[in-house]
């Protein structure tokens, strides 16, 4: 089973846990159905979704005080030993999504 690891960072690559005290929320969908949702952890601004089966997923980061309020990245888990790393970068002063970085690693 594979894992998806998501983290939220500002333009300087520092953890961006919340804006005005409101945490970023992460939603995982498969085949259009929500399968998991959680807020990012408030120290490292991350969330980990373990033991996911092979298939296609959509990862959505939500926060009502950023633009866009929802940013989605579609991905496919192709191998059971994959760890998919997603970093959502935001320009903190303007509260705007800069980019999404995706990497795939093999579980050790």
């Amino acid at each position: 089973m594979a894992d998806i690891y998501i983290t939220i960072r500002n333009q300087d690559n520092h953890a961006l846990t919340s804006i005005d005290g409101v945490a970023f929320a992460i939603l995982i969908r498969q085949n259009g159905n929500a399968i998991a949702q959680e807020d990012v952890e408030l120290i490292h601004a991350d969330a980990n979704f373990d033991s996911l089966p092979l298939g296609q997923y959509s990862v959505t980061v939500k926060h009502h005080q950023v633009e866009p309020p929802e940013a989605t990245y579609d991905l496919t888990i192709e191998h059971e030993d994959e760890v998919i790393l997603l970093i959502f970068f935001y320009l903190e002063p303007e509260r705007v999504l800069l980019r999404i970085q995706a990497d795939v690693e093999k579980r050790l």
Side-chain angles (χ1 to χ4, degrees), residues 6-83:
I6 300 111
T7 186
I8 311 297
R9 297 285 182 250
N10 70 9
Q11 67 279 358
D12 298 321
N13 201 24
H14 296 134
L16 182 58
T17 59
S18 66
I19 294 182
D20 293 337
V22 178
F24 284 82
I26 310 291
L27 175 66
I28 305 289
R29 289 187 185 100
Q30 186 177 39
N31 300 322
N33 298 316
I35 61 167
Q37 182 172 347
E38 67 180 65
D39 291 343
V40 295
E41 190 267 329
L42 291 177
I43 294 175
H44 301 289
D46 60 3
N48 192 28
F49 299 88
D50 299 330
S51 302
L52 297 170
L54 304 180
Q56 296 179 328
Y57 294 86
S58 293
V59 176
T60 301
V61 172
K62 299 168 143 188
H63 198 290
H64 69 280
Q65 294 178 313
V66 299
E67 285 298 324
E70 292 187 10
T72 300
Y73 188 86
D74 296 323
L75 60 93
T76 301
I77 296 174
E78 297 177 346
H79 304 283
E80 290 186 0
D81 61 350
E82 286 182 343
V83 177

Side-chain angles (χ1 to χ4, degrees), residues 3-6 75-77 82-86 103-105:
D3 300 338
I4 300 174
Y5 177 78
I6 300 111
L75 60 93
T76 301
I77 296 174
E82 286 182 343
V83 177
I84 298 174
L85 309 167
L86 297 176
D103 291 306
V104 178
E105 297 181 359

